[in-house]
Amino acid sequence: METESSESAQQRFGWKIDIMNKFRGKAIIVVLTPAQARIAEDAGAGGVIPIDLIAEASVHTEGTARSTDLNTINNVMDRVVIPVIGRVRVGHVMEAKAMEFAKVTCIDENEFLNPITTKYDQSYPLHFTFTDGLNGADGYKHTVHTTYIYKQPFKIPFLCGAADLGEALKQIQAGASMIRTKMTISEDSHDVSKTFENVRKIFDEIELLSTEDEVGIYSRAELYSVDIELVRMIARDKRLPVPFFAAGGIFMPIDAAMLMSLGCNGVIVSSRAFKTLDPETRIRDIVTAVKHYREPARLARIIERTGGYGPKPKQTG
């Protein structure tokens, strides 16, 4: 692999963040078909994440979830002009390279898809490893290794999940240009209350970090195993240096608005939105709620029309 100057790498990382900043204030929609992608585009979505039924079904037939078929990705890109995000398994460098070759806008390294447990190899700098000390049921300390893709060498941005501030900072240091809340199961099954907990935890940890003195900041950098300058930046600015999106179980406009009010820069909407009685209206209402979350009158009209969940069934008799 060719080496490059740190200045060149920093410039490319800044360019990637600029791309992801364009998603701020928008909703990204998970879609199953090109037709759904078109509905999302017409509703004003900022981008789409295609998944396919075959990949989803592989959880049951093959015991593993895998990335979306490139034919599905290409079909969606042929149908819409908004950004298309490719989803890959944690640690799967080859899937990420294939997505980059397919010219997706960016890549979602998704923890719901079964991770590739490649052992970390210092001579192959496309992986990095999170090591967490966990107390097991037997009372002993266990070490858990999770291998992620090292994103810096890629030419397109990555968005990655984080359960807490420490994980978010590790992902950013490894090249993530957007952070989202972390999922343990698919968007279809994820409980949105867990998403709210994840969002509040990260914001609470940022607030706590902002009160630390230099000794505390140094301790946090050691605890998180990240560059102290990154920790100083968070403490000073009281926010992440990349966009932060909420993801997991989001398909109600009022939840999207609430997550924005907590400080999220946008939301990733579950494909469950397309299972409502009127998907077109639902997606449009979510986009409106994200964009106008500070306007109670608009939100009230959405709630009045939908009850917060979906169009009311027609009254008979």
Side-chain angles (χ1 to χ4, degrees), residues 187-262:
E187 289 99 343
D188 268 3
S189 304
H190 194 87
D191 184 350
V192 73
S193 67
K194 301 296 183 184
T195 301
F196 277 99
E197 290 175 8
N198 196 166
V199 166
R200 288 189 169 101
K201 180 177 183 180
I202 289 177
F203 282 136
D204 286 348
E205 289 174 332
I206 291 174
E207 182 64 28
L208 179 61
L209 179 61
S210 71
T211 66
E212 298 279 11
D213 58 15
E214 186 63 20
V215 174
I217 289 173
Y218 182 82
S219 298
R220 291 283 179 174
E222 280 201 325
L223 176 65
Y224 298 150
S225 299
V226 296
D227 192 315
I228 192 171
E229 290 303 324
L230 179 58
V231 181
R232 283 197 185 108
M233 182 188 302
I234 307 300
R236 181 189 68 235
D237 298 341
K238 298 184 180 181
R239 61 178 177 83
L240 296 177
V242 302
F244 177 47
F245 271 50
I250 302 168
F251 68 106
M252 291 169 53
I254 202 65
D255 284 342
M258 181 65 185
L259 288 161
M260 294 296 292
S261 73
L262 291 176

Side-chain angles (χ1 to χ4, degrees), residues 93-124:
V93 175
M94 293 301 110
E95 284 185 351
K97 286 186 173 183
M99 287 293 178
E100 184 176 49
F101 181 78
K103 300 188 184 303
V104 296
T105 303
C106 55
I107 295 171
D108 175 18
E109 187 178 14
N110 192 272
E111 60 278 358
F112 167 64
L113 306 184
N114 288 38
I116 302 300
T117 55
T118 307
K119 186 177 180 180
Y120 180 61
D121 183 353
Q122 293 282 358
S123 66
Y124 188 59

Side-chain angles (χ1 to χ4, degrees), residues 10-196:
Q10 192 63 34
Q11 286 178 346
R12 186 172 67 245
F13 186 45
W15 173 76
K16 292 176 184 177
I17 295 176
D18 286 344
I19 291 175
M20 301 308 272
N21 276 335
K22 295 177 181 178
F23 288 105
R24 288 179 182 269
K26 298 180 180 179
I28 297 171
I29 316 296
V30 177
V31 301
L32 286 165
T33 65
Q36 289 182 355
R38 185 57 185 271
I39 290 172
E41 181 177 57
D42 291 344
V48 293
I49 302 177
I51 59 177
D52 61 60
L53 293 173
I54 297 175
E56 291 288 289
S58 66
V59 177
H60 307 289
T61 59
E62 303 170 15
T64 181
R66 56 178 175 78
S67 66
T68 302
D69 184 81
L70 286 181
N71 285 331
T72 300
I73 296 288
N74 289 327
N75 289 339
V76 169
M77 289 195 296
D78 287 342
R79 190 71 180 271
V80 300
V81 297
I82 58 175
V84 175
I85 300 169
R87 181 170 282 181
V88 304
R89 284 176 281 182
V90 166
H92 207 306
V93 175
M94 293 301 110
E95 284 185 351
K97 286 186 173 183
M99 287 293 178
E100 184 176 49
F101 181 78
K103 300 188 184 303
V104 296
T105 303
C106 55
I107 295 171
D108 175 18
E109 187 178 14
N110 192 272
E111 60 278 358
F112 167 64
L113 306 184
N114 288 38
I116 302 300
T117 55
T118 307
K119 186 177 180 180
Y120 180 61
D121 183 353
Q122 293 282 358
S123 66
Y124 188 59
L126 285 178
H127 292 96
F128 72 103
T129 302
F130 289 175
T131 303
D132 298 307
L134 302 175
N135 288 317
D138 53 9
Y140 290 96
K141 191 74 107 177
H142 297 273
T143 300
V144 178
H145 299 279
T146 305
T147 303
Y148 287 79
I149 298 169
Y150 184 64
K151 293 95 178 163
Q152 296 288 12
F154 286 84
K155 295 179 181 178
I156 62 175
F158 275 73
L159 66 103
C160 301
D164 52 43
L165 179 59
E167 190 169 6
L169 296 189
K170 288 177 183 177
Q171 291 282 23
I172 293 168
Q173 184 160 296
S177 306
M178 177 188 285
I179 297 298
R180 56 166 172 74
T181 52
K182 198 167 187 177
M183 294 175 287
T184 54
I185 52 179
S186 70
E187 289 99 343
D188 268 3
S189 304
H190 194 87
D191 184 350
V192 73
S193 67
K194 301 296 183 184
T195 301
F196 277 99

